[in-house]
């Protein structure tokens, strides 16, 4: 995989002090943990960094940023004549023809599921699953829309799932296989992996694992109107339609989150500046056509609006119209800082005497992670989690960053230790996701508690759900 071209901020008209201020603001937010960022200007990477223990080559769970990759797959299928936006959705699933009798469901078009305009006024995932656990498209179509399709916006996972299912049906391939020669290989995107459901169909609305670099490349392709290194990959018409308002919001969908009230395209959000794909807990691909810039971010936060507020406050003013003279010293200081980014580890001491043994869940069950049934501490201080009958061994000898990284059977970094003679407190960062599991063992009664700092949206055992599925 070739690297994206790099340059200094000053050479591309970006004030390094503005990037420094953005980093300061990210790190100062108490409920925002940055994991990585890449900033491109005029097609050049002018800043990139990963907060240790996160690293450039690790894929990240993108959550709903996956939707923008699904839209791209749909764009290729439209260009190849495999999908027509004004076809009824039901026409791609003739086996459901007799079941789907609601006229609004039958009137739903491909463009409506692509733009979250199915006619439903709220999320339908739970209702669709209740209708048909094994075939979500059928379950979705059995949930009658509240209004005519195309007249109302509602962020709706089964809509994207249905778009993804159509692509996979007409191509006879999984999304990753279909995108490999059309998107991933031309853009130089390496390994990716996508969570599939029990039918083997990749989810589309979530579940894609890819690197920060892959996010940046997708944004750059859209910024360039579908052209990559002089070759047109996506039709300009698709890029234009995907990144303009297809459906407006009748009312603010998420309280005072201003950047979620600007309209929706084809699996892209419009923003106060430019447009973006984004995913739960702070995964972003922000495209800024006026600034000729792309920003890719991975993070862990519940306040995604805050991330964008900080971008508008600190990064937008940093963009100039031409090279900035005399920026060498500021650029060098920024490069040094980016090279040394790291998350503060949890502190802890070595094991006290008599601290070995097996700890069981306080109260009998770990509510946040029910499959976690025991934690073992051996005489050498090694900690082993027993989850769904499988074992995850963790070392506690802190590395240079204060984190000890374990790659198998699931990529995780651990920090912490004994906070006093009776308490073992560990911070487990699952490195291919945004999530941390905070574990506390009490020596007095040999019990433990474990809670997610942010709750994973794909449930299940740690060793199977807290990493990318087998890569392709």
């Amino acid at each position: 995989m070739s690297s994206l071209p790099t340059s200094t901020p000053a050479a591309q008209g970006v004030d390094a002090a503005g990037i420094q201020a953005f980093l300061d603001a990210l790190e100062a937010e108490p409920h925002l943990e940055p994991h990585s960022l890449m900033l491109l200007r005029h097609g050049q990477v002018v800043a990139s960094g990963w907060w240790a223990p996160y690293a450039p080559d690790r894929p990240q769970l993108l959550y709903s940023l996956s939707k923008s990759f699904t839209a791209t797959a749909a764009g290729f299928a439209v260009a190849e004549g495999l999908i027509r936006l004004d076809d009824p959705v039901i026409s791609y699933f003739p086996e459901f023809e007799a079941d789907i009798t609601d006229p609004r469901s039958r009137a739903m078009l491909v463009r409506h599921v692509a733009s979250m305009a199915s006619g439903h006024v709220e999320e339908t995932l739970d209702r669709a699953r209740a209708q048909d656990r094994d075939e979500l498209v059928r379950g979705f179509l059995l949930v009658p829309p509240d209004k005519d399709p195309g007249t109302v916006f509602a962020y709706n996972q089964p809509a994207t799932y249905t778009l993804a299912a159509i692509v996979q049906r007409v191509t006879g391939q999984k999304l990753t296989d279909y995108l490999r020669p059309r998107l991933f290989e031309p853009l130089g995107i390496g390994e990716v992996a996508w969570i599939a459901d029990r039918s083997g169909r990749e989810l589309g609305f979530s579940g894609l694992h890819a690197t920060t670099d892959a996010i940046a490349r997708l944004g750059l392709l859209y910024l360039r109107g579908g052209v990559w290194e002089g070759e047109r990959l996506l039709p300009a018409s698709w890029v234009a339609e995907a990144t303009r308002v297809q459906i407006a919001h009748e009312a603010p969908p998420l309280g005072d989150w201003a950047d979620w009230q600007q309209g929706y395209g084809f699996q892209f959000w419009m923003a106060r500046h430019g447009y973006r794909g984004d995913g739960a807990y702070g995964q972003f691909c922000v495209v800024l056509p006026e600034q000729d810039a792309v920003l890719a971010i991975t993070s862990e936060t519940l306040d995604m609006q805050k991330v964008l507020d900080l971008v508008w406050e600190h990064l937008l003013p940093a963009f100039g119209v031409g090279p900035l003279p005399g920026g060498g010293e500021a650029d060098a200081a920024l490069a040094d800082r980016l090279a040394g980014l790291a998350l503060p580890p949890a502190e802890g001491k070595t094991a006290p005497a008599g601290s070995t043994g097996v700890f069981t869940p306080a109260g009998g069950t770990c509510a946040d992670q029910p499959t976690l049934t025991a934690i073992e501490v051996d005489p050498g201080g090694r900690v082993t989690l027993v989850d769904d009958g499988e074992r995850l061994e963790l070392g506690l000898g802190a590395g240079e960053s204060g984190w000890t990284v374990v790659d198998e059977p699931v990529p995780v970094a651990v920090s912490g230790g004994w906070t006093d003679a009776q308490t073992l407190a560990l911070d487990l960062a699952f490195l291919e996701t945004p999530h941390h599991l905070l574990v506390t063992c009490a020596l007095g009664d040999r019990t433990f508690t474990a809670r997610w700092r942010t709750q994973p949206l794909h449930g299940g055992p740690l060793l199977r759900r807290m990493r990318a599925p087998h890569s392709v």
Side-chain angles (χ1 to χ4, degrees):
M1 184 182 76
S2 62
S3 298
L4 289 168
T6 61
S7 181
T8 63
Q12 304 305 321
V14 184
D15 184 356
I19 303 175
Q20 290 269 27
F22 180 58
L23 296 176
D24 289 341
L26 285 177
E27 294 183 338
E29 280 296 321
H31 302 297
L32 196 172
E33 181 181 271
H35 294 164
S36 72
L37 68 81
M38 291 182 68
L39 178 63
L40 283 65
R41 182 92 193 280
H42 306 323
Q44 308 275 319
V45 179
V46 297
S48 62
W50 286 258
W51 279 260
Y54 296 87
D57 58 346
R58 288 207 184 270
Q60 296 294 302
L61 172 56
L62 303 186
Y63 279 122
S64 284
L65 181 47
S66 308
K67 292 178 170 72
S68 300
F69 286 85
T70 296
T72 305
F76 286 119
V78 168
E80 294 168 12
L82 301 175
I83 295 174
R84 290 186 295 271
L85 288 173
D86 291 316
D87 282 347
V89 168
I90 190 64
S91 69
Y92 291 91
F93 303 94
E95 69 272 29
F96 306 148
E97 183 77 30
D99 300 335
I100 309 306
T101 58
D102 184 87
R104 285 172 170 161
S105 291
R106 296 182 67 84
M108 195 186 303
L109 306 180
V110 174
R111 69 169 59 252
H112 296 147
V113 293
S115 59
M116 299 291 189
S118 63
H120 300 94
V121 298
E122 60 185 7
E123 173 69 65
T124 65
L125 183 58
D126 289 344
R127 286 179 289 161
R129 284 176 171 163
Q131 290 281 358
D132 194 326
R133 190 80 187 174
D134 296 318
E135 176 46 87
L136 190 60
V137 173
R138 180 176 175 275
F140 171 57
L141 293 174
L142 285 170
V143 178
D146 306 280
K147 298 186 178 182
D148 289 341
T151 64
V152 62
F153 169 87
Y155 197 65
N156 196 353
Q157 312 305 328
T160 313
Y161 180 91
T162 298
L163 180 65
I166 292 171
V167 173
Q168 290 172 91
R169 173 159 287 200
V170 300
T171 64
Q173 295 179 287
K174 293 181 178 180
L175 295 172
T176 44
D177 293 335
Y178 181 62
L179 286 173
R180 172 58 56 196
R182 293 165 176 81
L183 180 73
F184 300 142
E185 290 178 356
L187 266 59
I189 293 173
E191 289 189 352
V192 300
W194 213 317
I195 295 173
D197 63 13
R198 63 183 70 187
S199 73
R201 187 184 285 157
E202 291 174 339
L203 295 181
F205 65 84
S206 185
L208 179 62
H209 293 71
T211 61
T212 312
D213 178 85
I215 300 170
R217 290 171 190 256
L218 180 74
L220 188 56
L221 174 67
Y222 274 82
L223 179 66
R224 290 172 168 170
V227 174
W228 189 266
E229 295 181 346
E231 178 184 358
R232 175 157 297 284
L233 302 182
L234 276 174
S237 57
W238 175 265
V239 173
E241 289 296 295
T243 61
R244 73 170 182 86
V245 176
Q246 293 288 333
I247 184 75
H249 306 323
E250 290 186 353
L254 291 169
D256 58 358
W257 284 24
D259 282 292
W260 277 259
Q261 300 171 24
Q262 307 300 318
Y264 199 75
F266 289 154
Q267 309 296 303
F268 283 92
W269 291 94
M270 305 305 105
R272 285 178 288 171
H273 305 275
Y275 57 88
R276 69 190 192 281
D278 63 39
Y281 303 121
Q283 325 319 311
F284 288 101
C285 177
V286 182
V287 182
L288 300 169
E290 290 187 14
Q291 290 75 25
D292 193 27
V294 173
L295 176 64
I297 291 177
T298 65
S299 59
E300 184 196 36
T301 183
L302 292 172
D303 190 355
M304 293 173 62
Q305 181 62 66
K306 173 58 70 173
V307 180
L308 294 176
D309 289 344
L310 297 179
V311 173
W312 311 147
E313 180 181 355
H314 298 291
L315 283 188
L316 276 187
F319 292 114
V321 296
L324 302 178
E329 188 173 323
D331 289 348
L334 174 63
D336 286 344
R337 179 174 183 180
L338 290 168
L341 294 173
L343 299 178
E347 297 183 358
K349 301 175 183 177
T350 56
S355 60
T356 61
V358 178
F359 297 77
T360 56
T365 303
C366 179
D368 267 24
Q369 185 64 28
T371 54
L372 182 58
T373 56
I375 295 176
E376 302 172 1
V377 181
D378 69 20
R382 180 174 294 277
V383 177
T384 299
L385 275 59
V386 181
D387 185 85
D388 198 39
E390 300 179 290
R391 298 172 66 81
L392 173 58
E393 295 185 358
L394 306 171
L396 287 181
E400 290 184 12
S401 66
W403 297 86
T404 299
V405 175
V406 175
D407 285 304
E408 295 294 341
V410 58
V412 60
V414 59
S415 66
W418 291 87
T419 57
D420 57 45
Q422 295 293 313
T423 309
L424 173 66
L426 303 177
D427 183 344
L428 278 60
F430 288 89
L431 295 175
E432 293 181 354
T433 82
H435 303 294
H436 288 247
L437 185 66
L438 307 178
V439 175
T440 303
C441 297
L443 191 55
D445 59 4
R446 302 284 175 159
T447 63
F448 74 85
T449 60
R451 66 174 181 86
W452 291 106
R453 197 163 70 186
T454 50
Q455 185 70 40
L457 302 183
H458 303 292
L462 295 175
L463 273 61
R464 293 198 290 275
R465 277 303 190 212
M466 299 310 295
R467 69 171 305 158
H470 292 298
S471 300
V472 297

